[in-house]
């Protein structure tokens, strides 16, 4: 077993992944999965009506999506792999082993998608006359490939929430066809189309001249698109919610507002409902009175939709706690099946990069720091976001903590807070971790990760490693 010691000192490891992944998912859903079929539909509409202004508008929208997806979208896609490999290599490694052929297929589809969007964009004008039908057909082909990349990844996301029959069968198809796959796909597909419509509504005032007839026509047409796909999103969301396991849905209140703000749950839920209603109102406004829809009103629904989507992603990530892969691997990157061994031997004995395998009076604090890095830093920092000092201060105040109280809490925390994994180490490591936390209270210092301190194998093992 190989446990990393990477640690982002202030924002935290989970923030690193979340920030990169959220930007990528918003771009992917709105400007690729949803925008490609919308742009193709706009191109077809302009071709059918012989409307050159409409065709030019569709081309301008494609240009914006092309630039953003091939730059920021591509970089954040790579960034997800990079950050996940640093923060939780055990989890990403397990998913690669389980879904090797699915991920291989997704990468092939993604490369083809990049090639197809290049062809689609670069041939727009040269295929504008005799080959326009072929170009529209190619846009439909691109739309399918854009959707396929999401459809494959959604299978993996669903598996992480509910592994279904896979723990028994260990078959590839039981992992792909997990209980949450189709319901989540039924929500993400129309919501991606809705996001794309709101993004295009936002772009229309910037890509057309005031008073230009195509502006009002496009606003009305795209508003119909948003309303239709929003209704399907609501149906998909309802189906999705009803297949989430009860143990996960019980985490919803904390997932939406964090444990510190659970009293705000009702308020946040009401605000999300208001955001959804506001999106519908603006879309109706664009349908009925497109000429009177101000630019600021086109910005608001896009921002609201991104916020709603952000909350969905946050809840989806948190709601499966204490697992990163439901029933198989805890959020700390340790497999459930390995806990009995680690409880006996300790996690330091099976980790690669640690200061010591055995705990003594002299190295207790250093060993406790290593235990914290291995068992806690996927979700916690020392002093930053979700910092353990503030967590314990809320429980035990700012006076010097009692070691037995801290130790007893860590030992049983998963009972009081079911979204927390059980402590994975043995009694000596629990004592060392407690000592480290008490030292942190007396002398708060950020945990220095391997990226800052460098990685060295223990001297007694350096020869073997070579």
């Amino acid at each position: 077993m190989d446990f990393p010691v990477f640690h982002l000192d202030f924002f935290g490891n989970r923030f690193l992944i979340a920030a990169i992944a959220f930007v990528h998912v918003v771009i992917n859903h709105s400007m690729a999965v949803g925008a490609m079929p919308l742009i193709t539909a706009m191109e077809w509409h302009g071709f059918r009506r012989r409307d050159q202004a409409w065709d030019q508008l569709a081309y301008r929208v494609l240009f914006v999506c092309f630039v953003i997806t091939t730059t920021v979208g591509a970089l954040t896609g790579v960034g997800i792999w990079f950050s996940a490999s640093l923060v939780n290599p055990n989890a990403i490694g397990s998913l690669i082993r389980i879904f090797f052929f699915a991920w291989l297929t997704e990468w092939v589809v993604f490369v083809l998608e990049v090639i197809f969007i290049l062809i689609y964009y670069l041939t727009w004008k040269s295929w504008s006359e005799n080959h326009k039908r072929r170009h529209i057909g190619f846009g439909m082909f691109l739309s399918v490939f854009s959707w396929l990349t999401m459809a494959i990844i959604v299978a993996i996301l669903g598996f992480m929430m509910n592994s279904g029959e896979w723990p028994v069968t260990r078959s590839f198809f039981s992992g792909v066809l997990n209980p949450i796959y189709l319901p989540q796909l039924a929500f993400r597909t129309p919501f991606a189309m809705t996001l794309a419509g709101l993004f295009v509504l936002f772009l229309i005032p910037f890509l057309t001249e005031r008073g230009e007839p195509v502006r009002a026509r496009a606003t009305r047409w795209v508003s119909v698109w948003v309303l239709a796909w929003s209704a399907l999103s609501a149906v998909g969301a309802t189906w999705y919610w009803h297949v989430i396991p009860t143990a996960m849905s019980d985490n919803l209140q904390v997932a939406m507002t964090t444990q510190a703000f659970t009293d705000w749950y009702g308020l946040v839920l009401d605000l999300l409902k208001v955001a959804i209603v506001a999106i519908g109102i603006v879309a109706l406004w664009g349908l009925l009175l497109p000429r009177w829809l101000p630019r600021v009103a086109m910005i608001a629904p896009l921002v609201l939709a991104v916020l709603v989507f952000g909350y969905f992603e946050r809840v989806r990530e948190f709601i499966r706690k204490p697992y990163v892969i439901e029933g198989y691997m805890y959020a700390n990157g340790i497999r459930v099946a390995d806990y009995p061994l680690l409880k006996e031997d300790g996690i330091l004995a099976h980790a690669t990069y640690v200061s010591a395998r055995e705990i003594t009076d002299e190295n207790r604090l250093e060993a406790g720091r290593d235990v914290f890095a291995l068992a806690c830093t996927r979700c916690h920092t020392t002093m930053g976001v979700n910092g353990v000092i503030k967590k314990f201060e809320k429980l035990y105040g700012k006076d010097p903590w009692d070691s037995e109280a801290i130790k007893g809490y860590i030992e049983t925390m998963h009972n009081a807070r079911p979204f927390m994994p059980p402590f994975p180490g043995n009694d000596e490591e629990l004592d060392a971790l407690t000592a480290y936390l008490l030292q942190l209270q007396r002398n708060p210092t950020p945990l220095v990760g391997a990226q800052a301190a460098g990685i060295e194998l223990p001297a007694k093992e350096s020869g073997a490693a070579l």
Side-chain angles (χ1 to χ4, degrees), residues 8-42:
L8 191 62
D9 296 330
F10 179 77
F11 287 109
N13 290 340
R14 68 178 186 176
F15 181 87
L16 176 67
I17 296 179
I20 297 172
F22 178 65
V23 172
H24 178 75
V25 170
V26 168
I27 291 174
N28 176 264
H29 280 58
S30 62
M31 302 179 207
V33 177
M36 291 307 111
L38 175 54
I39 292 168
T40 303
M42 291 177 68

Side-chain angles (χ1 to χ4, degrees), residues 112-172:
L112 291 174
E113 179 191 357
V114 173
I115 294 172
F116 293 156
I117 195 173
L118 280 168
I119 296 173
Y120 186 58
Y121 171 71
L122 294 173
T123 60
W124 188 291
K125 294 181 178 180
S126 61
W127 289 9
S128 60
E129 299 297 333
N130 299 331
H131 301 295
K132 194 62 172 176
R133 291 182 184 274
R134 181 188 301 173
H135 192 264
I136 294 170
F138 195 84
M140 296 172 64
F141 191 65
L142 169 62
S143 300
V144 171
F145 271 73
S146 298
W147 177 82
L148 280 175
T149 58
M150 182 191 72
I152 295 170
I153 296 301
V154 167
I156 299 169
L157 297 179
F159 175 83
M160 294 170 73
M161 291 182 68
N162 189 342
S163 54
E165 297 296 322
W166 181 84
V168 177
T169 64
R170 296 298 174 105
S171 71
F172 170 78

Side-chain angles (χ1 to χ4, degrees), residues 17 37 85 97 101 234 315 331 342 346 362 392 408 441 453:
I17 296 179
S85 298
R97 287 192 295 272
F101 291 106
V315 170
L342 299 180
E362 291 74 22
F392 280 109
Q441 187 196 24

Side-chain angles (χ1 to χ4, degrees), residues 11 24 66 77 95 142 147 153 160 247-248 274 279 290 341 356 361 385 387 389 411:
F11 287 109
H24 178 75
F66 171 75
L95 290 172
L142 169 62
W147 177 82
I153 296 301
M160 294 170 73
M248 293 186 183
V274 169
I279 291 169
L341 174 66
D361 291 337
V385 175
I389 295 179
E411 207 168 15

Side-chain angles (χ1 to χ4, degrees), residues 181-329:
Y181 175 50
L182 291 179
Q184 186 172 185
L185 191 61
F187 165 71
R188 282 185 181 270
T189 298
F191 194 77
M193 304 299 174
T194 304
L195 272 177
L198 293 171
F199 180 63
V200 174
L201 277 179
F202 165 75
L203 288 178
I204 286 172
F206 297 96
L207 301 180
T208 57
E209 298 293 334
R210 184 184 297 274
E212 195 176 354
V214 71
R215 175 182 287 195
R217 295 201 306 271
T219 300
R220 178 180 289 113
W221 194 88
V222 176
S223 295
V224 172
W225 174 281
V226 170
L227 287 169
W229 285 110
S230 295
L232 291 175
S233 297
V235 174
T238 302
W239 183 18
Y240 186 15
W241 172 250
H242 281 92
V243 299
I244 294 176
T246 303
M248 293 186 183
S249 59
D250 289 343
N251 278 341
L252 180 63
Q253 194 167 344
V254 178
M256 289 186 66
T257 57
T258 76
Q259 188 180 4
F261 301 102
T262 50
D263 292 341
W264 294 15
Y265 169 69
L267 175 62
V268 171
L269 202 59
D270 289 340
L271 290 175
L272 291 176
K273 291 176 182 177
V274 169
I276 294 170
V277 171
I279 291 169
I281 290 173
V282 171
L284 283 171
W285 191 350
L287 172 63
L288 301 175
L289 299 168
R291 295 181 184 276
W292 300 97
L293 184 62
R295 180 177 294 182
V296 66
M298 294 183 177
I299 298 173
L302 176 62
V303 173
L304 291 173
V306 170
L307 289 176
V308 170
F309 193 46
Y311 252 97
F312 163 75
E313 290 293 340
R314 170 186 163 78
V315 170
R316 182 188 62 77
E317 283 292 320
F318 189 96
I319 208 171
R320 67 176 183 267
K321 300 296 176 71
Y323 301 107
V324 65
I325 302 174
E326 186 268 333
Y328 175 74
M329 181 176 288

